[in-house]
Amino acid sequence: MLERRVLACWRTRASMAGLCAGVLVFLLGAGAAVPLSLNAAWLASLAALPACVLAAWAARRRMGVRMMRPRALLLALVLELGAVFLLASLVCLAGQSLILQAQPVRILLAAFAGAALCALSGGAGLARLCFGLRYALPLCAGALCAVSLGLPRAAGPWPLLGGGAPRLLVSCLCMGTSALPALLLLLPPPELEAAGEDALRCPMPGWRFFALRMALGAACGAILLFAVCVCSGYESLAAQHTWGDRLRILSSAQPREGTAQTLLTCLQVMVIALAAGCLLSGAEQALDAASERLKRGRLGLLLAGAPVLLLLLAMSVYGYDAALYAAPLLGLPAAALLMGKGKRA
Amino acid sequence: MEDAVTLLAPLARNLDILRSRLGAPRNADVLIRRFQSGAFESAIVAIDGMVSSQLIDENILKPCMDLPCGAGEEIAPQERAAYLMKSAVSILPMKMKENIDEILADVLGGQCALLCEGCGIACVMDTRGFEKRTIGKPEVEHVVLGPHESFSESIRTNITLVRRIVQREELTTEFISAGGKMKTRCALLYLRGTADEKMIEAIRARIEGCTYDFPLTSGEVEQLIEQHPLSLLPQVVRTERPDRAASFLAEGQIVVLTDGSPAALGAPATIFHQLHTPDDASMRWQYGTFMRLIRMLGMLIHVFLPGLYLAVLRFHPQLLSPMLLTSVYESSSRVPVPLFLEALLMTLAFDLINEAGLRAPGAMGGAVSIVSGLILGQSAVSADIVSPLLLIIVAASGLGGFCIPGYAMSIGLKIVQLMFLTAGAMGGLYAMSLLLVCLLCALCGMESISSPLTAPLAPPRRANPDILLRLPMRFQKARAFFAKRRSESSGRA
């Protein structure tokens, strides 16, 4: 019985990492790969799949390894920066689509509040929600993308290799950062920590278990990016200079024709907020691992959330594109955290 | 004198202690009757109105007083109460007690205590005969098909109603006294070997840990059991139907009955328990599934429709057809209050009508509905106080709310509806999406007696295919995930 419960915990945790990976694939793809490779960005996003598999394998090797304080702090920092990137993209998307007339700072504060409240419910709640949505989200996204294929503006299912091979290679390198959510697997699910030593000592699933879920999540992100590339058309994609514009999957100015687009944008907003909450909660857990005292009164969440909010406020003044340029670099500390062998706990 | 914990040998002294504790003779309800029972003197202590006089007269007093003068002379004084039980008294439920607090609690609960001269042990007998309501029809959980019995205020009657359905040797009833000075009797019912012992222990500890000095209702016991006091949604499933309580037991849940409350609480519970009705099981699975889907649709309409209306009109007008939009703006332009305030007031007005109809005396309930329907509906529209489309929206949303099976759940969702209304007005679909994801996270993070509220869907647990949809009977074999597995309960590995 206990083994089954432990396995269920790891399933929800892996789903959480998979969902975050999918979101990052889409956001990095639309943010960084589309300007470089235009309609071929979805091809670059396929590079995220092996990156996720590799990261899951590396994370599985380090599971159960005692995390030293500097490593835990670095992990928290990387996850916080990941959350900043996700929230910045959320603000850009909402500001360009759902809530055009609102002040950007208000949009930002609402996005941060949403992610922080998600993180406040705890890692267990977030992971369970990610697991609960594992069929619903791809189905909804797939159905709405199918609607988009019927639009007359669609560029056709096989977009051209927009920017050429060298640019595509750079895009592929950028997409490697999508494997960052594998860092969440380094932290044990909170339910297991609460259940005690017996639960923590139960055997963990193999690396394929985590790799499959992360790769499936990344594949969903790639499919969404494919929808962006297909539905936007070569010329219109080239003309979309802002990040928020590129995140919109369907573009329609016709009355009532925008219903599918609005629904899809709502879905995107929910998933990005959820993923940001996951990374924020992971950062809190990493801070708790660094210092037991932070567990009291959820100080960890406060410490994880405050820099995120400050960075976002700074970006609201200087522009969110800074997050977009810095995001691919997050792959480096993430790789450092995933590599190497540690001392077993 | 009041410091005595156990009964003493002299009868007069014991009676003095009890008199003093119960405030007799000033307390007119206290009955103390001394009588000769064979060779020694005895006394009965009871509370007037709580006991059946006929039962005491015929089964205790008469047989004891009919004993010959020298009867029981050779019996040791300490054995006198037991002797009377053996040779005279003809009442089945009885217990021998010597602790004064326990004896007093039983006497106050409607039992009577028989004390004998020279004996430090009292015999407490169940002679309860107070007035109680007969078994009626359910007031909240109406069904079209299925049984029409409901619980009453008497805990004994309620246990009997459950036992009549669950005729299994494993069915166990544990009585627990909850509260500080004023105790309330609660009963824990569970199937031995099916219900999880840790959960039983957790519920028992939470109820026993209560020290409030007022009588507890089932609603208060529910608050003692629940893990998240700030949550808007109930974490324990409540029913007034014995057949539903029996199904909880079969699933492995623990049923808590409270004396004086016509409801049973089932714990642990999942969010899906709150969406099920007894009718689902009384009908064929196709009909049950269809009705369940209709209820869920109603629930979604109730929660989201007013917020969506505001969000679309204020932030996303492109989603409506130009003709409809023109008509809405035209009617809204005549209304003197802002759109959000108009929607908020109408939603609150609907809740007001609902509450008034519920609290008004039976004969006036219909009149309240008609008057409020006319005044707040037709007249408000013709006076341009509200727009007609908003009235339709609020009415459809209210109708959806009536589809929610649990009353507690429907109130919780009303608050959620207001939250979405505000979010829709403030930030359109963006704010509503963020609020939805926050609420879903909070829901998924909640637990009921350490069992996730959203299980078996998330996290995954083995379960009957009776969660959102109801599949045919032949698939429904497993116990709920929080129950012990069959192999565990039968002792096999």
Side-chain angles (χ1 to χ4, degrees), chain A residues 26 30-32 34-35 228 237 240-248 324:
Chain A
F26 176 73
V34 165
V228 171
L237 204 60
Q240 284 172 350
H241 295 300
T242 65
W243 188 11
D245 271 334
R246 295 196 295 273
L247 291 170
R248 297 165 72 187
L324 190 56

Side-chain angles (χ1 to χ4, degrees), chain B residues 280 283-290 469-473 476:
Chain B
D280 297 346
M283 288 192 277
R284 296 181 66 227
W285 67 273
Q286 300 93 329
Y287 313 152
T289 300
F290 177 70
L469 306 179
R470 187 179 165 81
L471 293 191
M473 280 293 289
Q476 299 192 16

Side-chain angles (χ1 to χ4, degrees), chain B residues 161-181:
Chain B
L161 286 172
V162 175
R163 274 209 175 267
R164 215 179 58 192
I165 302 169
V166 186
Q167 295 176 6
R168 284 181 62 177
E169 62 196 44
E170 295 92 349
L171 179 58
T172 308
T173 306
E174 271 184 39
F175 280 105
I176 303 174
S177 290
K181 295 262 181 195

Side-chain angles (χ1 to χ4, degrees), chain A residues 308-331:
Chain A
V308 171
L309 181 61
L310 287 176
L311 266 175
L312 284 168
L313 286 172
M315 270 189 233
S316 70
V317 178
Y318 298 108
Y320 294 103
D321 282 352
L324 190 56
Y325 301 135
L329 300 176
L330 282 178

Side-chain angles (χ1 to χ4, degrees), chain A residues 5 98 107 111 114 128 131 256, chain B residues 316 318 430 444 447 458 481:
Chain A
R5 299 259 159 118
L98 283 180
I107 302 176
R128 285 173 193 160
F131 180 79
R256 279 189 296 160
Chain B
H316 318 282
Q318 76 278 8
Y430 173 62
C444 290
E447 293 189 338
F481 66 90

Side-chain angles (χ1 to χ4, degrees), chain A residues 30-64:
Chain A
V34 165
L36 286 171
S37 313
L38 297 176
N39 293 68
W42 72 276
L43 284 172
S45 72
L46 294 180
L49 270 70
C52 284
V53 170
L54 200 66
W57 171 76
R60 177 64 187 86
R61 282 178 70 224
R62 290 199 62 84
M63 276 183 199

